[in-house]
């Protein structure tokens, strides 16, 4: 279960995966700037720390609706990662998760 601190992410995913959600939009959500880019079968989301796109990005991910594939590009903590995954698992039981952030950390450790 996602920590209470990140429950807004579960609610955000509920909002952005709704069929009536507009494509290619930006909005404020619980004090965070959310940027959403979408195509016919995918959605890309970046979440910024405060209500400004020029402030630090705290998470980014994309989701392919056809493949049911979630690609995590960045996140601040494992609790945040789990909240994002939990949000998608509420809608898609079979979910393939690719964690590019973990891969980057593994590569840094090899150097």
């Amino acid at each position: 279960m996602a920590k209470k601190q990140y429950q807004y992410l579960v609610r955000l995913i509920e909002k952005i995966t709704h069929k009536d959600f507009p494509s290619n939009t930006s909005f404020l959500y619980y004090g965070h700037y959310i940027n959403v880019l979408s195509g016919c079968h995918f959605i890309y989301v970046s979440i910024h720390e405060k209500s400004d796109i020029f402030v630090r990005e705290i998470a980014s991910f994309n989701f392919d609706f056809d493949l049911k594939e979630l690609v995590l590009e960045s996140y601040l903590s494992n609790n945040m990662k789990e909240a994002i995954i939990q949000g998608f698992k509420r809608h898609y039981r079979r979910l393939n998760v690719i964690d590019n952030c973990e891969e980057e950390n593994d590569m840094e450790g090899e150097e």
Side-chain angles (χ1 to χ4, degrees):
M1 180 175 225
K3 295 251 184 196
K4 189 173 184 173
Q5 173 185 6
Y6 296 117
Q7 282 299 313
Y8 76 92
L9 290 170
V10 175
R11 291 188 294 274
L12 172 66
I13 291 163
E14 172 82 28
K15 181 176 181 154
I16 64 175
T17 56
H18 193 270
K19 67 179 180 172
D20 295 328
F21 189 78
S23 58
N24 302 326
T25 189
S26 300
F27 57 96
L28 295 178
Y29 195 74
Y30 287 86
H32 299 283
Y33 181 86
I34 311 296
N35 189 36
V36 179
L37 303 172
S38 58
C40 294
H41 306 286
F42 77 94
I43 192 167
Y44 172 81
V45 179
S46 64
I47 303 168
H48 297 265
E49 191 169 46
K50 302 210 174 161
S51 59
D52 185 350
I53 192 168
F54 300 109
V55 176
R56 178 174 70 146
E57 181 180 271
I58 60 172
S60 65
F61 54 89
N62 62 69
F63 184 73
D64 184 311
F65 291 99
D66 287 342
L67 299 175
K68 307 298 184 267
E69 184 172 85
L70 171 64
V71 179
L72 298 163
E73 297 293 338
S74 66
Y75 50 84
L76 290 180
S77 69
N78 283 332
N79 288 332
M80 180 178 268
K81 168 186 158 181
E82 292 306 317
I84 294 167
I85 293 170
Q86 179 186 356
F88 280 100
K89 282 189 173 179
R90 283 186 170 190
H91 301 284
Y92 308 101
R93 294 191 195 280
R94 293 186 181 177
L95 179 68
N96 183 30
V97 178
I98 298 171
D99 188 347
N100 287 342
C101 197
E102 254 181 24
E103 289 175 13
E104 286 177 16
N105 290 339
D106 289 346
M107 290 175 72
E108 288 173 8
E110 291 175 6
E111 294 176 3

